[in-house]
Amino acid sequence: MAVVVVGVANQIFPLNTNEDGFIEAAELIVIIGMVLAWAIAAVKAAPSHVEFRAGIVAICLTFTAVSFAGVGRETTWGAIYGLDPATVNVLMMASAIIVILLLAGAFTLIVTHLKVSKAFLRNFITSRPMGWILCGFILFAIGAAFEENFLKVEPHQLFEEVFEFLAYFCIIFSAVSLVSTLGVKHSSS
C-alpha cells in the first residue's frame, strides 16, 4: 500500500530524494526523535520499580546508541552539510566514543544482572515494544531492497527513503510504547 501511495504522490508532486532533500531532512528529524525517545525511556526506566529494570535500561541504552549512530549515518557525520573533513573526523570519533559508552553501559547492565536476563528477554520478545521494533526492522529491510533496486521498481530511491522513514517511526513508537508500559506498571505498584 505504501508503494502505491508514494508512487501516486510522486506522480502528482515529484519528490526530491537527494541527500539534502525534504525526505532526508524529515528522516533526520525522526532519527533525532528516536534518540530522544529512547533516552527518555532509559531515564524513566532507571528509577522505576519494574521487575526487569536493568534489562529495560540496557535495551533503552542500546537503542539510544543505535539511533545516535543513525543520526551520524544520515548526515555522514556532517559532511553533507559542508563541514570540512577534519571536523567530520572529529565528529565521527566523538560519536563513536558516545556510542561505545552507551553500548558498554548496556552490556554492563546485562552482565551484572545475568540471572534475570533470560526471563527478561522472554518477556521483552513477546512485548508490544518488540512488535514495533520488528515492524521497523521489516520496513528497513524492505527499504534496503529498494535501495539495491532488487525489486526493479522506479523510483527505487524514493521508496527506499520512505520505507526507512516509516521504519524509524516504528522504532519511536516502540520507545513510546515502552514508556507507557512503565507508567502503567509504576502506577499499579
Side-chain angles (χ1 to χ4, degrees), residues 50-64:
V50 294
E51 183 180 2
F52 300 113
R53 177 179 63 185
I56 293 170
V57 173
I59 292 289
C60 293
L61 289 176
T62 301
F63 275 95
T64 302

Side-chain angles (χ1 to χ4, degrees), residues 2-184:
V3 172
V4 172
V5 170
V6 170
V8 169
N10 189 51
Q11 292 298 318
I12 296 169
F13 180 73
L15 300 167
N16 179 4
T17 57
N18 294 335
E19 287 297 318
D20 59 349
F22 169 76
I23 295 174
E24 287 284 338
E27 276 184 37
L28 183 58
I29 291 167
V30 171
I31 296 173
I32 291 170
M34 279 174 38
V35 172
L36 294 174
W38 282 104
I40 289 167
V43 169
K44 286 215 172 229
S48 71
H49 298 288
V50 294
E51 183 180 2
F52 300 113
R53 177 179 63 185
I56 293 170
V57 173
I59 292 289
C60 293
L61 289 176
T62 301
F63 275 95
T64 302
V66 170
S67 301
F68 185 77
V71 170
R73 176 189 168 274
E74 283 299 322
T75 64
T76 317
W77 286 271
I80 64 171
Y81 297 114
L83 295 178
D84 63 277
T87 304
V88 169
N89 286 338
V90 168
L91 286 173
M92 192 173 3
M93 294 309 290
S95 296
I97 290 168
I98 291 168
V99 168
I100 288 169
L101 289 173
L102 289 168
L103 291 175
F107 181 75
T108 302
L109 284 170
I110 292 296
V111 169
T112 58
H113 294 81
L114 202 54
K115 290 180 183 176
V116 295
S117 295
K118 288 180 186 175
F120 165 70
L121 286 175
R122 214 175 9 260
N123 284 349
F124 189 74
I125 287 172
T126 60
S127 70
R128 178 173 288 150
M130 186 63 184
W132 282 112
I133 290 169
L134 288 175
C135 184
F137 285 160
I138 290 167
L139 289 170
F140 200 78
I142 293 169
F146 277 113
E147 183 174 25
E148 298 300 323
N149 204 12
F150 290 142
L151 305 173
K152 305 292 183 212
V153 175
E154 290 300 330
H156 69 92
Q157 188 175 359
L158 172 62
F159 293 123
E160 175 243 335
E161 297 300 340
V162 168
F163 277 96
E164 279 183 7
F165 184 78
L166 294 172
Y168 297 147
F169 258 115
C170 285
I171 304 300
I172 287 176
F173 290 147
S174 178
V176 170
S177 177
L178 182 64
V179 168
S180 69
T181 301
L182 288 172
V184 168

